[in-house]
Structures are given as structure tokens and as C-alpha cells.
Amino acid sequence: MLGDIITPDLFASAFRMATPLALAAIGGTICERSGVVNIALEGIMLTGAFFGTAAVLATGSPWFGVLMAMVAGVVISAIHAFASVNLKADQVVSGTAINLLALGVTGFLMERWYGHPGTTDPIKTLGPILRLTAEGGGFLGEVWRWVNGIFLTHTPIVYITVLIAIFAQWAIYNTRWGLRLRAMGEHPRAVDTVGVNVYRGRWVAVLMSGALAGLAGANLTIEQVGSFTENMTNGRGFIALAANIFGRWTALGSYGASLLFGLADGLQIKLQILRDVIRIPPQFFLMLPYVLTVVVLAGVIGRAVAPAAVGEPYEKKG
Amino acid sequence: MPVLELREITKVFPGVIANERVSLELEKGEIVALLGENGAGKTTLMNVVYGLLSADGGEILMDGEPAKIKSPRQAIDHGIGMVHQHFMLVEPLTVTENIVLGREPGRLGVIDFKIARERVIEISQRYGLKIDPDARIEDLSVGMQQRVEILKALFQGARVLILDEPTAVLTPQEVRELFGVVRSLVDEGLSVVFITHKLEEVMAVADRIVVMRDGRVVGETRPEDTDEIGLARMMVGRDVVLRVEKPVSTCGDTVLEVSDLHADDERGLEAVKGVSFSVCGGEVVAVAGVSGNGQTELVDCIVGLRRPTGGTMHLKGKDITHASARSSIEAGVSHIPEDRHRRGLVLEFDLAENLILGDHRTPPYSTRGLLHPKAVTTMARKRIDDYDVRTPSEKVIASNLSGGNQQKLVVAREIGRDPELLVAAQPTRGLDVGAIEFVHRQILDERAEGKAVLLVSLELEEVLSLADRILVMYEGRIVREFTADEADEETLGYYMTGGGGVKLDDDARQAGPIESGGDA
Ligand SMILES: Nc1ncnc2c1ncn2[C@@H]1O[C@H](COP(=O)(O)OP(=O)(O)OP(=O)(O)O)[C@@H](O)[C@H]1O
Ligand SMILES: [Mg+2]
């Protein structure tokens, strides 16, 4: 029984499921570190997913689709940047507006361009980079089967995400950009008084989160599902926000938290086979990742300390 | 030729002319003290020089050349550095990170922390500003944080250093150290503009004194040509009593009774370790001590902002050990908090709204949960008038007041409430001499009316001139108690720094002034 649940495939699926969450979560980390709350991750991801798919449908090139998904993410996040940095609007309101906008625009364009709601035609996807055979017997053969199964069966963006997480972590703590980013979210006026442009820094951070969330959308459609369905992000943007908090506003922490949520998601699917044994509705299993989110946020991590100035528009003096 | 010259700088805010054709010169190696009443326009003028505010008229010259300063970046490039009235440090970052921020050494955008650290150490040694480069700002004392601010300006290559009320938050010991630093800076060829309200400091460090009133320069003098009384007159435009007379008063019923109080600080360490005392009606009891010896936590407990971990407190016989802030206000406790920004005011609220905080539930300002704007406005206008808060109207938001006027607003609200017990922590922080005189009179009036006053102050002069009894607090305990005529500054200072048994200040200093034990 347990052997059916704990398989290499379970952990491989954890990495797969974690990827869109982690990308958006790292985007959230960068954005919030600069002092801007980004609850628009959900909508940005959806936008990226849609335009990525549309680009692949139009050109047949999955990589071009990935690029367009990121461009779309950047474009829609520019609205958030303008509203929260320049107009000093409430960042939660602006983010909510973008989420609604993304839902509406993608649904509308779906009908306009493809003539029907629901799901697009299937698109050409990006497959696993490596296709190694998992043969060989004995203990070594078994180890190889696990290593290959867990780590070596993935699509490109899954690996790119790991690299992004490591690089972002390093950059936030070791580069000029990172130091200014961290300072900006804590005490923007202090950053201003040493001659660094807070508005520009926040713009860049919001756009970066847009690119990352767009890439998350591309991963969903161009690597995982192979088509676009309305509202297919299905709350992942919000779980990503939770992952960012759980990861204490760090890139690697965000990745780790996403991996945990990914594992919960994978487990949930595996546990469906238990349905015949213990009779509980399948929705209970579906709830698993969300329950985990709530439990984690409410209790396990204790009090997480957000950047001090997060959510506060910065106003220069007259 | 002056290093810095301001010609006819004018800055207008809605309803206020903060600076009106102000001209000022600063020579190389000179210390100019900028003096003036609260709201005279000192901070505004310096913010213009530093590029934080843009002037409506006039020009700035550096080394005789017109300088265009539209942003702090440009000011820094011209060699101007500023230590602000309210610090500009990023608390969770380290000393080094704060100092290099904006000018990080390194290649291709990667910071070379080794070089950064070395440069910080190098500058700190050159000017005698010892600091642990790896400490986090939030773990440093205020005096050390100020050091970081000065180092930051020096790191950025400042030739002109502006210090806006640098001593308002320092202990006397730290003030002496700061003066040493300032002198070594001018020896190295820097020029310093020094804003302060403390006249004895002006007399001690300034080469030249410029006095402002109502946005204009009203006079200029040198320490050798004047004295404190003369300066005060120049500032306020009338004679000021620097030390108010304290009439004898008789002790009434006990108002506050604290016994064996224990309390923890934010980090869960015991900060108040069994404190007992009482304050009776018609008496001013002062708690003297170097900051960080448990006074903050003690005050928090009394006003209901912190749960004591042991002991009891009674107000007029009523147990208030576990009272909330609300019930403590209702029981008649008023509180002037030491940090006006964090606890005294809602900076985004207007003055009238700030003035009814705490009274917003009581008639005549509100009945059945509804506010009565007319009553609020009437009261606000009266308080603003009585306490001489300089502002065009009660509709101005609090963050637009000058530092000293913000303080007056808090004092107006808390004393205006007419409490049974007034807990005043640093009540005159940042106030000019005239305003200090006024607040001292108010406190003594409360005393004359038979109210109890608990004063917590780092200013020994304030303590000595107001208190009937003085409790010296050191490391969470009351180590000595004096009556007013037993104490003088020297003895108080001795016990405040752990003298008389615990630890001598000089020993601590010989061990090296690095606060957080780094390997600088
Ligand atoms: N941002 C602002 N908006 C409107 N008015 C302002 C603003 N900043 C300052 N003022 C007004 O300008 C005047 C000068 O203020 P400033 O802060 O320069 O005084 P100051 O001399 O530094 O006083 P203090 O000693 O109390 O710090 C005050 O009347 C103040 O209310
Ligand atoms: Mg000021």
C-alpha cells in the first residue's frame, strides 16, 4: 500500500507542482522586499498562461510562448507598479483589480480569438530535457531508479526555477540591487536620503515579479497542461504568497515552502486511491494543500516579520 | 571663500512661510550653531540644502560656485552630509550595510563586503568613531546609531556636515563624546552646521551662532560675545527664565503606589527587577537614569501598555496592576511618551484628531459613540493657543508640524486632560527654551493643584529643577533615592552609571567603547 504512495513519482510531482508556486513566490519576495504588496500574482500568472498559449498557437514555438508569457506578465504588472508607486493607490485594491481584470481579459480574448469559452486547442509543449532509461537491477539499480525518477525527468522551466531561486537568494544578499531592495522595503526615506531612487527601485521590483509570475503561467500551460483553460491558475497565486511568507521573504525559503505545498498536492492525488479503502469524499484530499497553507500560516511558523514598510506608498516631501 | 553659502533662500508651505530670504555662510573648518524657536524653520532650511525640499527662491553656492541641488544625490555629490532629526537608518541591516548603502564598493553590481568593511573601519578609526561594523542597527543604542549616521555621511565624502538636533536623544556622556567627534571633524577640515535647543551646548562648541525666528535670520553672534540668557532673549524675543522657581508644596494623599514591580522587555529579559516607590499628590517624583536601565518598561507598566510579571500598582488605592491603557486613562493617568512619533501621535491625523485621542469616548467630545466636531474644534483651538503650537490651523496633519511643535501637541493633550497622575517621559525633548519654561510651569501647576507627577528624564537639569524626590534607576533597580536639596548633577551621574557599588563608568570605558563586542 505505502509502496504505491511513496514512489519516485510522488517526489517528482512535488518538484513539478512546486515550480509555478515557487516562481510566483520568488516574484512576491522581490516585490514585497521592495515595499510593495503584490496580491496580483494570481492574475499575472493567469495572464502569462493565456498569452503564452496564444503565442504558441500562433507561431508553433513553445519557447516563443514562454517569452510572450513573461512579456505579458511584465505588461500587466506595470499597471500595479503605476498604481501603487506613482498614484500611491492602496496596493491590495490595485492587486485585486488586476486579478479581476486578468480573469475578464483572458476570458474575453478567449471568445474573441478562438470563438468559444473554456479550453483552447492543445499546444506544442516543452518536454523533459533528459530521457534516460531507468534499468539495471540490484541496490544500485534501485537507487538510480529513484534519482532518475525524482530529479532527471523534468521539463526545462523546472530546472530554470531552481537556478532562479539560488541566484535570487544570492543576489538579494550580495549585490547592490539586493541591498537597496532590502533597505527600500524597510525604510524608503533612508534609501532616498542616500540618493537612491525609490520609485525606480520599486518599479523594477514589481516588473520582475511580473516576469516571474508570467513564467509561472508559461510553466502551467506550455509544460504541464498543454492548453489554456479559463481561471486555470485556480488560487496558485495566493498559495505562492503564502509560500513567500512561510519562506520568510527569502527566495530559497519561498522555494522550500513551495516544495512542501507541491508535495502536499502530489500526496493528495496519490491518496485518491485510498478512497476505496476509507470512504471519504475526494474533496477532502483536494483540500490538503490549502489546509496545510492555513495551518502553516496560522501556527507553525510563529510570527513572521514582514518588511517594515511593505504596503506603504512612498511619498517624497514637497 | 565660504564652503557653503545660502543666498536668500525662501520656502513656503501652505499657510506658512518656513524660510524667508535666509542667507547663511559657512567657512571651512567652522562650526556654526543654528538656533531658533520651535518652528523657526531650521530643519526646513537644512532640508533644502540637502535636496529633500526644493526652495521657492534663492540659491546655494558651494566654494563660490552656484550649486544645483534638487535631490539628496546631488547634495551628496557636492559633499554635503546630513544627520536627520529623526534617524534614517534601516534597522534590520548591519552597520556596514547602512553606511555603504547608495555607494557600495564592488564590481559589476556585486558588493565587495570585505572592502566595504575595511573602509568603514578605516573611517571610524580616522575620526575616532569606534563602532562594530557587523552589529545590526536595531541592537545599537541611540548614541551608537548616531555614530553610524555620522559615519554614513563621512563615507559618502561629506565636507559639510549638518547635524539636526543631534543631542536631543543623547545622555550627557554621549553628548561629550559627540563634541569630541565634532572637534576632530573640523580639525580634519570639515565644516559643521549644528542645530540644537540647548544653550550650554551652543556656548561649548560653536564658533559662530546664527539665530532664526519666524523663518528669518534675526541675529548672529559669537559665544565669547554673549551668554545663555542673551541667547535665549535673541531666540524668543523676550526674557526667558531658564530655571523656573519651585514653590514649596505639601505632600497630600498617596496617589501612586508601586510595590516590588517586575517586568520584561521586548526580548523577554527582565528589565524591571523589583521596584517599589510611591508618589503623593502635590509631589513631583523624578526617575533619573541612563536610557535602557528599565525606565521605559517601568513607565509602560504604569500606563497600562505592558503586563508586569510581578508586583502590584495602586492608583489612589485602586488596583491598576492589570489595567489596560484605556482603563488607566479613565482612572486618571496621563502619559507623555518618550517617543512622540511611535506613541504620542498619529502622524497622518490632523491636530484636532490628535488632541482628542484618549478622550474620544467622553463628553463633551462624544456621546453615544458619535463625535461632536464643534466641541472638538473648540477644544483644539484653545489647546493650540494655550500651548503655543505654531501652526496655521487645527486641520494641519501632525507630520507637517516641526519636531518641537509635535512635542507641544502631545504635552497639550496629556496635561490638558487634567489627570490625577501625570507620567511624563522626556516631556521637553526637542523643545526650545521658551517652550521648556512653559511646560515646566505647567508641570509645577499640576503639582500645586495637588496632582501627582512622575517625571522620567535624561536631562539632569530638568530633574533637579522640577523634582521633590529623585529615584536613580540602574539596571532595573532603584539604587538610590534623594530629596531635591541632597542631589546635584555630579552625584546623580555617579549613581546613574552604576557608581556606589556596581560598576564604574571609567572601567567600562577603558575596556573600549565598542558596544556590541565585535572584532573591529
Ligand atoms: N511638510 C510640511 N508641510 C507644511 N508645513 C511644514 C512642513 N514642514 C514644516 N512645516 C512648517 O514650517 C515651519 C518650520 O518648520 P521646521 O521643521 O523647519 O522648524 P524647526 O525650526 O526645525 O523647529 P523645531 O525646533 O521644532 O524642530 C513650521 O511652522 C512647520 O509647521
Ligand atoms: Mg527641526
Side-chain angles (χ1 to χ4, degrees):
Chain A
M1 193 78 219
L2 207 60
D4 291 335
I5 295 171
I6 311 291
T7 59
D9 186 48
L10 170 67
F11 296 101
S13 82
F15 277 104
R16 266 199 313 280
M17 311 267 190
T19 295
L21 298 180
L23 283 168
I26 295 166
T29 298
I30 292 173
C31 199
E32 300 213 336
R33 279 292 185 133
S34 85
V36 180
V37 174
N38 196 345
I39 64 159
L41 291 171
E42 173 81 6
I44 300 172
M45 207 192 292
L46 188 67
T47 310
F50 176 78
F51 284 96
T53 307
V56 182
L57 281 172
T59 64
S61 160
W63 281 111
F64 182 72
V66 172
L67 182 69
M68 281 301 115
M70 293 176 73
V71 170
V74 168
V75 170
I76 193 159
S77 66
I79 302 175
H80 187 50
F82 185 69
S84 45
V85 179
N86 301 77
L87 301 183
K88 300 171 180 64
D90 186 289
Q91 295 165 9
V92 173
V93 173
S94 159
T96 307
I98 288 175
N99 286 336
L100 295 174
L101 180 76
L103 205 55
V105 165
T106 53
F108 171 75
L109 288 179
M110 178 93 199
E111 296 236 16
R112 270 316 272 267
W113 292 354
Y114 308 117
H116 59 83
T119 303
T120 62
D121 292 340
I123 54 170
K124 195 169 165 227
T125 57
L126 291 169
I129 304 180
L130 304 164
R131 287 172 200 279
L132 305 172
T133 47
E135 44 195 45
F139 177 69
L140 278 183
E142 184 70 1
V143 170
W144 169 246
R145 199 172 66 81
W146 278 78
V147 169
N148 181 52
I150 296 174
F151 299 110
L152 305 177
T153 52
H154 295 293
T155 48
I157 297 178
V158 176
Y159 297 112
I160 291 174
T161 303
V162 175
L163 294 180
I164 287 178
I166 295 170
F167 181 74
Q169 178 78 19
W170 173 83
I172 288 176
Y173 287 96
N174 288 286
T175 64
R176 203 165 281 179
W177 165 78
L179 177 62
R180 293 173 182 187
L181 182 80
R182 282 182 290 145
M184 214 170 274
E186 294 287 341
H187 195 338
R189 195 169 301 279
V191 177
D192 195 10
T193 56
V194 293
V196 175
N197 190 330
V198 175
Y199 293 164
R200 188 165 61 203
R202 289 191 167 175
W203 257 92
V204 169
V206 177
L207 295 187
M208 285 173 90
S209 77
L212 288 171
L215 186 60
N219 166 266
L220 276 184
T221 49
I222 303 173
E223 286 190 344
Q224 292 197 27
V225 181
S227 62
F228 175 85
T229 305
E230 281 178 61
N231 195 21
M232 69 186 296
T233 46
N234 199 15
R236 281 184 181 79
F238 297 109
I239 295 196
L241 268 182
N244 162 47
I245 296 171
F246 185 25
R248 296 188 170 239
W249 289 269
T250 64
L252 281 183
S254 290
Y255 193 90
S258 301
L259 209 52
L260 185 70
F261 292 140
L263 190 66
D265 214 5
L267 209 54
Q268 167 264 121
I269 294 169
K270 289 278 184 181
L271 288 176
Q272 301 279 351
I273 53 171
L274 287 180
R275 254 187 314 179
D276 305 330
V277 190
I278 35 175
R279 293 168 49 86
I280 46 174
Q283 282 81 359
F284 276 91
F285 296 111
L286 282 172
M287 270 166 48
L288 198 61
Y290 302 95
V291 171
L292 190 68
T293 310
V294 171
V295 169
V296 153
L297 282 183
V300 184
I301 54 169
R303 201 170 70 98
V305 185
V310 75
E312 289 172 19
Y314 178 62
E315 192 123 28
K316 272 182 180 255
K317 290 193 184 179
Chain B
M1 191 199 315
V3 216
L4 172 69
E5 185 181 350
L6 308 182
R7 279 195 194 150
E8 313 231 310
I9 300 284
T10 298
K11 175 73 194 175
V12 184
F13 290 116
V16 195
I17 304 175
N19 292 149
E20 193 175 354
R21 295 152 69 93
V22 177
S23 298
L24 185 77
E25 286 176 14
L26 182 67
E27 299 290 339
K28 188 170 184 312
E30 190 184 31
I31 304 174
V32 166
L34 195 54
L35 207 60
E37 287 179 290
N38 295 126
K42 306 175 296 290
T43 300
T44 304
L45 185 67
M46 291 304 122
N47 280 340
V48 167
V49 174
Y50 195 64
L52 278 172
L53 293 173
S54 58
D56 299 307
E59 57 175 347
I60 303 172
L61 289 84
M62 289 292 291
D63 301 315
E65 300 281 319
K68 255 187 61 191
I69 299 177
K70 294 265 167 272
S71 70
R73 170 92 270 162
Q74 288 168 331
I76 293 168
D77 290 343
H78 276 104
I80 299 170
M82 178 160 175
V83 176
H84 299 264
Q85 197 166 0
H86 303 108
F87 288 164
M88 294 292 168
L89 295 172
V90 186
E91 301 231 318
L93 300 190
T94 66
V95 168
T96 303
E97 285 175 325
N98 268 282
I99 291 174
V100 302
L101 184 65
R103 294 224 157 169
E104 306 85 349
R107 284 179 52 218
L108 302 170
V110 181
I111 301 177
D112 189 334
F113 278 108
K114 202 165 146 267
I115 293 190
R117 208 168 160 281
E118 276 166 13
R119 285 219 212 133
V120 168
I121 293 171
E122 182 194 309
I123 300 179
S124 86
Q125 281 172 353
R126 181 158 149 216
Y127 297 100
L129 286 153
K130 294 244 171 53
I131 193 96
D132 172 8
D134 304 316
R136 278 180 201 292
I137 299 296
E138 56 202 358
D139 297 331
L140 296 182
S141 68
V142 184
M144 282 293 142
Q145 294 188 1
Q146 186 172 64
R147 250 176 209 203
V148 179
E149 284 277 33
I150 296 175
L151 283 168
K152 195 163 89 178
L154 295 174
F155 179 86
Q156 288 162 341
R159 295 179 291 136
V160 171
L161 187 63
I162 300 166
L163 301 170
D164 192 354
E165 292 192 36
T167 57
V169 290
L170 300 186
T171 60
Q173 167 68 21
E174 287 170 326
V175 170
R176 270 194 296 280
E177 282 173 20
L178 176 70
F179 285 179
V181 169
V182 168
R183 288 213 187 82
S184 78
L185 292 179
V186 293
D187 287 345
E188 293 271 339
L190 270 83
S191 312
V192 175
V193 180
F194 195 101
I195 301 179
T196 180
H197 289 296
K198 299 180 189 168
L199 303 178
E200 76 278 4
E201 293 176 357
V202 175
M203 299 300 287
V205 288
D207 295 317
R208 203 150 53 85
I209 302 162
V210 175
V211 180
M212 288 181 73
R213 197 191 314 149
D214 285 338
R216 270 180 299 236
V217 172
V218 293
E220 196 187 308
T221 179
R222 289 179 178 277
E224 53 272 23
D225 302 333
T226 182
D227 57 16
E228 293 182 25
I229 311 241
L231 280 179
R233 192 182 310 120
M234 248 173 119
M235 250 174 84
V236 187
R238 63 175 167 90
D239 281 322
V240 180
V241 183
L242 293 179
R243 194 168 167 164
V244 291
E245 274 304 307
K246 186 174 62 187
V248 280
S249 110
T250 43
C251 206
D253 297 340
T254 302
V255 174
L256 178 70
E257 175 89 58
V258 175
S259 59
D260 195 30
L261 194 76
H262 290 259
D264 291 347
D265 64 13
E266 266 75 29
R267 284 168 292 181
L269 305 173
E270 183 158 67
V272 179
K273 304 169 183 168
V275 165
S276 306
F277 65 91
S278 64
V279 187
C280 63
E283 185 187 35
V284 177
V285 173
V287 176
V290 177
S291 60
N293 276 290
Q295 304 97 312
T296 309
E297 289 79 9
L298 173 65
V299 166
D300 283 358
C301 287
I302 296 171
V303 301
L305 289 170
R306 188 180 295 262
R307 275 272 126 94
T309 51
T312 57
M313 298 179 295
H314 289 86
L315 187 80
K316 293 202 143 179
K318 197 174 148 241
D319 189 347
I320 55 160
T321 313
H322 298 290
S324 64
R326 175 177 176 174
S327 43
S328 118
I329 290 174
E330 283 165 0
V333 180
S334 262
H335 174 213
I336 301 173
E338 61 180 331
D339 185 335
R340 57 180 173 246
H341 275 188
R342 227 179 280 172
R343 290 217 168 142
L345 296 167
V346 182
L347 287 169
E348 289 76 30
F349 278 17
D350 71 30
L351 304 189
E353 286 165 333
N354 268 294
L355 279 169
I356 54 154
L357 290 180
D359 292 326
H360 54 280
R361 295 188 201 87
T362 35
Y365 314 122
S366 109
T367 45
R368 283 185 231 108
L370 288 179
L371 283 176
H372 300 299
K374 263 211 195 103
V376 173
T377 309
T378 318
M379 179 277 294
R381 292 212 178 123
K382 185 167 176 332
R383 295 274 154 83
I384 286 170
D385 228 46
D386 288 351
Y387 287 78
D388 190 27
V389 179
R390 306 277 166 94
T391 174
S393 104
E394 76 286 348
K395 299 246 156 42
V396 167
I397 63 167
S399 69
N400 283 350
L401 287 186
S402 81
N405 282 303
Q406 290 173 357
Q407 184 72 21
K408 288 190 211 165
L409 196 70
V410 177
V411 173
R413 179 183 68 217
E414 297 302 323
I415 298 187
R417 183 180 292 142
D418 199 18
E420 289 303 323
L421 170 69
L422 173 67
V423 181
Q426 317 296 348
T428 57
R429 172 175 283 181
L431 294 187
D432 66 46
V433 281
I436 290 175
E437 179 195 352
F438 178 78
V439 171
H440 283 179
R441 279 193 203 288
Q442 295 301 311
I443 289 177
L444 291 179
D445 282 355
E446 289 294 299
R447 170 175 173 268
E449 280 175 37
K451 305 296 169 57
V453 179
L454 182 69
L455 170 74
V456 179
S457 180
L458 300 175
E459 300 289 329
L460 292 184
E461 202 165 323
E462 178 163 280
V463 166
L464 288 168
S465 70
L466 294 181
D468 297 301
R469 273 188 302 134
I470 302 165
L471 314 171
V472 179
M473 212 167 159
Y474 180 74
E475 296 204 332
R477 294 194 177 82
I478 291 174
V479 291
R480 270 307 283 261
E481 181 178 334
F482 296 98
T483 60
D485 27 283
E486 279 170 0
D488 57 51
E489 289 204 22
E490 208 122 301
T491 353
L492 284 180
Y494 179 71
Y495 286 101
M496 276 164 59
T497 49
V502 199
K503 191 177 76 184
L504 277 173
D505 183 40
D506 279 349
D507 296 347
R509 264 197 300 152
Q510 264 152 28
I514 294 177
E515 294 262 286
S516 2
D519 52 352

